[in-house]
Amino acid sequence: MSALSHAPSTDSPARPTPTTAGTPGRLARLRGTNPLGAFGGLLWLVVVLVPVYWVVVTSLRTREGFFDANPLALPTSPTLENYRLVLDSGFTHYLLNSTLVTVGATLLTLVVSFLAAYAVVRGTSRALRWAFSVFLLGLAIPLQATIIPVYYLIAKAQMYDTLPAIVLPSAAFAIPLTVIILVNFLRDIPDELYESMRADGAGHWRMLWSLAVPLSRPALITVTIYDALNVWNGFLFPLILTQSPDKRVLPLFVWSFQGEFTINIPAILAAVVLSTLPILAVYILGRRQLIGGLTAGFGK
């Protein structure tokens, strides 16, 4: 048998090798990459992650080793002593206070805002249009400008130094934006769906509960996470409207903890890490719904 019989036929199509099969796709993706945008995104990622890394790493250092170590180096002997100190300082009590305030303010905001948004969308009276204008006006009023009237009203209602004193104004300032978001979402529901339910004998309460609420689920989840984040991180209302240590919420606890342990920076950062974990878990669980609700309607 001659050597030519083992040579590959020139008529058969050549098979692409694994190394060259994906090359055109990769090249196309590389051509579509914006180098300036990629550099900006990488720079933003570094700016965000480095402080977070520093906070977590420093919270694991000892009080004595904080001043001698490289700030960005991993601790040679990590310890959880700072977290134990924070937990022994009543952290769980302040965590419960923050949870009660956040849940109460968010639920109140959702109920009032959804009923108001439904009335604005389905109502036909001129008073409802005026009411919607009032909600829009609420966005233009800064929170700091209302501190004295809010303090006066809370004191007159004999609610000063109580948790409801934080819940009510927090919900009041969250309602305008929540109503606007829900109104825009409810307007996208076709009128034919309402009319078909009305033809079946459904009233407003049944249409609201059986039609509007299920179809508005992405918007409801979005405003729930957004409002909960704002109330959880709220500092001004708890500072002005409460006084007793047992009525403090987590932002106020971290602030007072900083005053008591000024030179124990690792313990302060441990308190920051612990106070961030609950709301971070809520954000991770609802992240997909939050992005879906914020981008709903952009493709129309």
Side-chain angles (χ1 to χ4, degrees):
M1 186 177 293
S2 66
L4 293 175
S5 63
H6 296 283
S9 173
T10 55
D11 298 334
S12 60
R15 294 182 179 178
T17 60
T19 55
T20 59
T23 302
R26 296 193 190 100
L27 290 176
R29 286 195 294 272
L30 288 176
R31 290 193 194 100
T33 302
N34 182 359
L36 188 60
F39 176 76
L42 184 62
L43 182 63
W44 176 85
L45 188 64
V46 171
V47 170
V48 171
L49 288 184
V50 168
V52 175
Y53 167 79
W54 180 79
V55 169
V56 175
V57 167
T58 306
S59 69
L60 298 174
R61 298 186 192 280
T62 60
R63 180 178 177 181
E64 294 76 15
F66 168 73
F67 296 99
D68 301 329
N70 183 347
L72 296 181
L74 292 174
T76 54
S77 55
T79 177
L80 297 177
E81 183 65 21
N82 300 312
Y83 290 91
R84 188 192 63 78
L85 177 62
V86 173
L87 293 175
D88 291 344
S89 301
F91 176 82
T92 53
H93 177 76
Y94 305 117
L95 175 65
L96 178 62
N97 283 349
S98 280
T99 303
L100 292 175
V101 168
T102 302
V103 172
T106 305
L107 282 179
L108 182 61
T109 302
L110 285 179
V111 172
V112 174
S113 301
F114 196 81
L115 292 176
Y118 181 84
V120 168
V121 172
R122 299 299 302 167
T124 56
S125 69
R126 182 175 298 178
L128 291 174
R129 290 197 294 271
W130 277 101
F132 186 59
S133 301
V134 172
F135 285 121
L136 292 175
L137 183 62
L139 295 176
I141 301 176
L143 184 149
Q144 292 79 5
T146 63
I147 284 299
I148 294 178
V150 169
Y151 175 84
Y152 181 77
L153 289 174
I154 291 296
K156 281 294 182 182
Q158 298 183 350
M159 297 175 62
Y160 179 74
D161 202 20
T162 62
L163 294 183
I166 308 173
V167 170
L168 294 179
S170 299
F173 275 88
I175 283 175
L177 181 60
T178 307
V179 168
I180 293 170
I181 294 175
L182 293 177
V183 163
N184 291 330
F185 207 90
L186 288 175
R187 280 175 176 165
D188 291 338
I189 299 177
D191 290 337
E192 291 79 7
L193 296 178
Y194 291 106
E195 297 303 327
S196 62
M197 289 196 69
R198 186 182 297 278
D200 291 338
H204 279 295
W205 285 109
R206 184 181 166 191
M207 288 190 290
L208 187 147
W209 183 252
S210 302
L211 178 63
V213 170
L215 293 181
S216 303
R217 184 181 173 189
L220 288 173
I221 294 176
T222 300
V223 294
T224 298
I225 297 175
Y226 180 79
D227 293 338
L229 282 171
N230 284 335
V231 177
W232 185 272
N233 295 323
F235 180 79
L236 191 55
F237 284 139
L239 177 65
I240 301 299
L241 302 176
T242 60
Q243 185 178 16
S244 303
D246 62 329
K247 298 299 187 300
R248 288 174 180 167
V249 292
L250 279 179
L252 214 55
F253 163 70
V254 174
W255 175 68
S256 61
F257 197 77
Q258 179 183 1
E260 295 177 7
F261 301 91
T262 303
I263 59 175
N264 194 354
I265 296 178
I268 297 171
L269 296 181
V272 172
V273 172
L274 286 178
S275 64
T276 307
L277 290 180
I279 203 66
L280 181 63
V282 173
Y283 172 76
I284 291 175
L285 292 175
R287 179 178 58 89
R288 183 168 299 178
Q289 288 79 6
L290 176 64
I291 296 175
L294 289 175
T295 58
F298 283 5
K300 294 181 179 178

